[in-house]
Amino acid sequence: MPYIAKRQFGVGFALSGGFIKGFAHLGMMQALFEHDIRPDIIAGVSAGALAGAFIADGKEPYRVVEIFQQHTFGQLTSFARSVSGLLKMDDLVDFLHANISVKRIEELGLPLVVVASDLDNGGSVQFRQGDLAKCIAASCCMPVLFAPVIIDGVHYVDGGVFMNLPVSPIRGECDRVLAINVSPINATTYKKNVLSIAVRCFNYMFRANSLHDKLLADMLLEAYNLDSFSNTELEKAGEIFEAGYRQANVQLKSKLKEW
């Protein structure tokens, strides 16, 4: 009989990308915590990696929102003065250094997997150790908007380019994986001009790579009706948090039976 390795963790959380919609992650996790569902390991992409880092550092979800609400989008970004992106991530790195108690991923209270995209070699990369703030910045680095983040000579961009819902990185390590997707595909109305069509296609491609990983999760929570929030509206973090909290509680009424 073949040897089957014992899984290392009980519950894993997989948190999708979603930019400003990432605050819905915190609202949904607040609801989960109130139902006594907490992670033993977290895998995150982009906004999910950002939210996951604070939770892995031992902070409660509602407290993380309070920290962000003390800042504006402009305080966390600055112009890159570069041909590779409009903005740079240096201010976000400084913010993380100031608000997370450790400097390296492996020093966090909970294991964290930060997923980014290797722009030079073309592939998805999982950071399980290294400079926490810089790895998160790499995972959050939306192409074109932000200049790539360089780590050990390699250029990295948003982890969602290859994997926007990171269930597979931790699937084999966990008894159960709970996935939170704050970027479901929404077929909303749109303008029929070149720019609108291009952006819509880009969003569809970005989100379609989560379809496979959705099937690997033991429970999937999805946050809808968040597309009206602008990616620069950091002052609305509380509203997005509340929206995620409400939707999670509604979905949990039926999904807890499966869990």
Side-chain angles (χ1 to χ4, degrees):
M1 185 175 182
Y3 172 73
I4 300 176
K6 186 178 185 300
R7 286 174 174 160
Q8 187 175 357
F9 304 105
V11 176
F13 280 11
L15 310 180
S16 77
F19 213 114
I20 197 71
K21 292 180 288 187
F23 289 106
H25 278 309
L26 296 167
M28 291 185 140
M29 284 191 284
Q30 185 68 47
L32 288 165
F33 287 9
E34 291 173 7
H35 284 84
D36 201 28
I37 300 175
R38 290 178 176 264
D40 300 305
I41 184 174
I42 300 172
V45 167
S46 193
L50 184 59
F54 280 92
I55 301 304
D57 194 39
K59 294 179 174 60
E60 293 297 310
Y62 72 88
R63 175 60 184 141
V64 181
V65 176
E66 292 173 355
I67 294 171
F68 275 93
Q69 285 181 317
Q70 298 172 21
H71 299 78
T72 65
F73 181 79
Q75 290 174 326
L76 300 182
T77 58
S78 55
F79 287 106
R81 297 180 182 177
S82 167
V83 296
S84 60
L86 300 175
L87 304 171
K88 59 183 179 180
M89 310 292 287
D90 298 29
D91 296 314
L92 176 63
V93 169
D94 292 341
F95 168 79
L96 293 172
H97 282 155
N99 290 283
I100 293 182
S101 66
V102 301
K103 303 303 180 188
R104 297 185 62 80
I105 296 173
E106 62 269 29
E107 295 171 347
L108 288 164
L110 285 178
L112 177 69
V113 182
V114 178
V115 180
S117 297
D118 180 339
L119 187 63
D120 297 341
N121 302 294
S124 182
V125 175
Q126 302 171 23
F127 291 109
R128 294 173 181 254
Q129 59 183 13
D131 187 313
L132 175 63
K134 202 158 190 181
C135 290
I136 291 174
S139 182
C140 292
C141 189
M142 183 176 287
V144 181
L145 181 59
F146 294 103
V149 173
I150 302 173
I151 300 175
D152 296 330
V154 178
H155 295 75
Y156 292 95
V157 294
D158 196 304
V161 171
F162 286 100
M163 182 187 297
N164 205 43
L165 186 64
V167 177
S168 51
I170 58 173
R171 174 66 277 181
E173 302 172 38
C174 302
D175 293 327
R176 293 179 293 178
V177 177
L178 190 154
I180 303 179
N181 182 24
V182 299
S183 295
I185 295 176
N186 291 323
T188 55
T189 57
Y190 64 101
K191 296 179 180 179
K192 304 302 188 292
N193 58 51
V194 172
L195 179 60
S196 181
I197 292 171
V199 169
R200 187 176 180 85
C201 290
F202 175 81
N203 287 334
Y204 277 171
M205 289 186 290
F206 215 70
R207 297 172 185 181
N209 65 36
S210 66
L211 297 177
H212 172 263
D213 278 55
K214 283 184 181 183
L215 300 176
L216 300 178
D218 296 287
M219 183 191 292
L220 173 66
L221 300 179
E222 294 194 284
Y224 293 94
N225 303 321
L226 300 177
D227 289 332
S228 61
F229 292 100
S230 164
N231 282 330
T232 61
E233 291 183 304
L234 192 56
E235 68 276 9
K236 294 189 177 180
E239 294 180 39
I240 301 172
F241 174 93
E242 289 295 334
Y245 178 77
R246 290 193 302 270
Q247 291 187 46
N249 276 315
V250 169
Q251 294 173 41
L252 284 170
K253 287 180 180 178
S254 60
K255 292 180 179 288
L256 279 177
K257 298 174 185 177
E258 308 166 10
W259 189 250

